[in-house]
Amino acid sequence: MNTATYPNLGTIGSEYRNAGQPAVIDLWDPEHPREVDYPTFHASCDAIARGLTARGIRPQERIGILCSNRLEFLEIFFGAMRAGIIPVPIGILMPKATVEWIVRDANIRLVFCDGALRGNLPADAPCIDIDADGQRHYEAVKDPGPFEPFVPGHDDVAFQPYTSGSTGRPKGALLSHRAHSWVARSISTDRGFNPKDRMIVAAPLYHKHAMNSIKCVLVGGSAVILMRKFEPRAYIEAVNKHRATVLSGVPTIFAMLLQQRDLIGGHDYDFVRLCTMGGAPASDVLIDSVAATFPRAEIVTIYGTTETSAALFGPHPQRKPRPRHSVGWPVAGNEFRLVGEDGDGDFGTLYVKGPGMMNGYYNNPTEMARRYKDGWFDTGDVLRRDSEGWYYFVGRSDDMFVCSGNNIYPGEVELMLERHDDIDQAIVVPVPDEIKHRIPYAFIVKRAGSALGEAEVKKYALENAPPYQYPRRVIFVDALPLNGVGKIDRKALEARALAISESRDAVGA
């Protein structure tokens, strides 16, 4: 029997608990930011741990967090884990029926929520409305004083996020103290977080990207500049006002920032040392533009999944330069397979073994059996490996579609289109076709003032890619829709493309 003990994830950053520097700068109300130092933050987490324990909630039982980005989210999240209680972050944009299903599925004992979101909970769910009576109900949960943290074993669960549910209902991932204490320290060390850093976080905290950022900040004794939600102009203002040294987001976020040319220009951004991009491939044009705007920043492409962690790829062990677009070199302890049509090779769906793996899916053995095979987890993401051993993200296997017998990975076509000088952003989606099975349509955001037309885009594509990849229809838009975690809402664009296709067919008929 394994009786080893492991660090409690809720206590990360405790070595700074007596340091005077800020831990959180909360921009819930940007005109009245709340700045909390490390001693105050850790005392609040201890008070939450004591309060939940006093309410009779036991280790490995669950509480829910249905909150926007705010200081209280972090106090609850890390405080619960200190007591061995499992926080379940719930997406604030999920429909009421999905929220209710998660509360039931996870057998949640108590939910903390924004006042505006309380109506999405089951009527019989015990709830602490954080905004009620000027936060008096929330503060009453806290029991100030020292707290001896729960000591986890090998498989004790730290927190339980739910995946997006793109193929059905969301799936609860069981993430252990052991795995994610290792993940947090691995990422923070690789990216050089230190007490001088200030990282701006605008992605929702219920998503892995933002929560990984928070853990890196705490491990490094850094400060997080926490925005309620992403809004490009407010983001730029916060970067300048609070001197953010680390920026992170999907490529779309950076593209939207750079489109605010009147606001982002004219500033000296020498204080920005690191920009990380993940979730989708980034074009050379975008990377060059980010590098020109933040001239002293290292620009790093990152990759990770909820189930396998973000500590999969990092710098080369001998610090060899990372090639542009590479997600990095395998982090020690991880094993990878790329499974393609001809078996294992240098291109295909990524399968992973590693120390950051989840324990499994909660109450979902069927999905676990489908994705976890002989000790290997199927990420559903397509990557390639170059001759030296560097890895590159290509796209989601679910996004791939077949046109005239040829596999099209939208990310590859988008990168090609975004190399055009007059294209800021491009998204390619499939539309059904009686002859070719699926054909690509492209949604394009033009550079401001451009007179670019559909014929020119098609001509450019035919000159720079295989003919089956060129978009059969080009739709120009002012902006691309985002989903709840700041990624492009491909499903919304697919629906719009289908409606356009059917409309054209009807006219043709």
Side-chain angles (χ1 to χ4, degrees), residues 247-303:
L247 316 183
S248 184
V250 295
T252 303
I253 296 298
F254 284 96
M256 293 174 71
L257 294 178
L258 297 178
Q259 287 165 12
Q260 317 304 315
R261 293 175 175 85
D262 63 315
L263 188 60
I264 204 167
H267 292 279
D268 178 358
Y269 291 104
D270 282 356
F271 55 85
V272 178
R273 72 163 186 89
L274 176 64
C275 296
T276 65
M277 286 189 246
S283 69
D284 286 316
V285 172
L286 178 60
I287 292 173
D288 287 342
S289 297
V290 171
T293 304
F294 307 106
R296 292 187 178 273
E298 180 185 9
I299 300 170
V300 176
T301 300
I302 60 176
Y303 171 82

Side-chain angles (χ1 to χ4, degrees), residues 8 13 30 44 54 87 108 131 169 255 263 266 284 323 344 376 392 406 445 447 450 461 479 499:
N8 185 305
S44 291
I108 287 174
D131 298 310
R169 278 181 166 164
L263 188 60
D284 286 316
D344 290 7
W376 293 90
Y392 302 77
N406 297 289
V445 177
R447 289 196 181 276
S450 169

Side-chain angles (χ1 to χ4, degrees), residues 70-333:
R70 59 193 299 172
L71 171 64
E72 291 80 11
F73 189 120
L74 300 180
E75 293 174 346
I76 298 160
F77 185 82
F78 288 98
M81 289 192 295
R82 290 182 185 199
I85 295 165
I86 302 169
V88 178
I90 304 172
I92 61 173
L93 297 182
M94 287 179 172
K96 178 180 174 65
T98 303
V99 172
E100 291 182 344
W101 181 85
I102 289 174
V103 171
R104 306 290 190 207
D105 180 66
N107 193 26
I108 287 174
R109 292 280 312 274
L110 176 69
V111 182
F112 292 84
C113 71
D114 292 346
L117 298 173
R118 184 166 187 170
N120 286 350
L121 293 170
D124 61 347
C127 171
I128 300 296
D129 181 340
I130 294 174
D131 298 310
D133 292 333
Q135 289 203 321
R136 281 188 300 189
H137 287 291
Y138 172 70
E139 292 297 330
V141 175
K142 294 181 178 179
D143 180 16
F147 184 79
E148 189 66 30
F150 170 78
V151 179
H154 185 273
D155 289 328
D156 283 328
V157 176
F159 65 112
Q160 183 176 313
Y162 275 76
T163 64
S164 59
S166 57
T167 57
R169 278 181 166 164
K171 301 177 288 291
L174 300 171
L175 307 183
S176 69
H177 290 270
R178 165 189 49 80
H180 278 261
S181 292
W182 175 83
V183 167
R185 296 199 176 276
S186 177
I187 300 173
S188 186
T189 300
D190 283 350
R191 297 177 194 165
F193 277 84
N194 64 81
K196 294 181 180 179
D197 274 325
R198 290 187 168 197
M199 182 176 193
I200 186 165
V201 172
L205 290 174
Y206 60 79
H207 189 258
K208 70 177 188 302
H209 184 89
M211 193 47 71
N212 281 336
S213 297
I214 298 296
K215 288 180 280 187
C216 286
V217 165
L218 294 176
V219 170
S222 315
V224 59
I225 304 161
L226 187 62
M227 295 185 66
R228 185 172 184 176
K229 63 180 180 179
F230 175 75
E231 195 285 313
R233 298 183 73 82
Y235 187 104
I236 295 167
E237 290 170 354
V239 167
N240 284 301
K241 181 178 181 180
H242 298 285
R243 309 284 287 181
T245 63
V246 181
L247 316 183
S248 184
V250 295
T252 303
I253 296 298
F254 284 96
M256 293 174 71
L257 294 178
L258 297 178
Q259 287 165 12
Q260 317 304 315
R261 293 175 175 85
D262 63 315
L263 188 60
I264 204 167
H267 292 279
D268 178 358
Y269 291 104
D270 282 356
F271 55 85
V272 178
R273 72 163 186 89
L274 176 64
C275 296
T276 65
M277 286 189 246
S283 69
D284 286 316
V285 172
L286 178 60
I287 292 173
D288 287 342
S289 297
V290 171
T293 304
F294 307 106
R296 292 187 178 273
E298 180 185 9
I299 300 170
V300 176
T301 300
I302 60 176
Y303 171 82
T305 73
T306 300
E307 294 91 343
T308 61
S309 90
L312 299 176
F313 303 100
H316 192 279
Q318 279 80 50
R319 295 292 165 173
K320 292 181 180 180
R322 183 188 305 215
R324 175 169 280 199
H325 301 302
S326 172
V327 296
W329 192 266
V331 170

Side-chain angles (χ1 to χ4, degrees), residues 427-431 439-443 471-473 475 497 500-501 504:
I427 290 294
V428 172
V429 297
V431 170
I439 55 175
Y441 275 32
F443 289 87
R472 307 314 196 264
R473 179 75 193 272
I475 303 104
I500 291 170
S501 172
R504 293 185 74 187

Side-chain angles (χ1 to χ4, degrees), residues 413 416-417 428 440-442 457-458 461 469-474:
V413 187
M416 176 271 296
L417 292 171
V428 172
Y441 275 32
V457 173
K458 290 181 177 180
Q469 288 188 351
Y470 92 91
R472 307 314 196 264
R473 179 75 193 272
V474 177

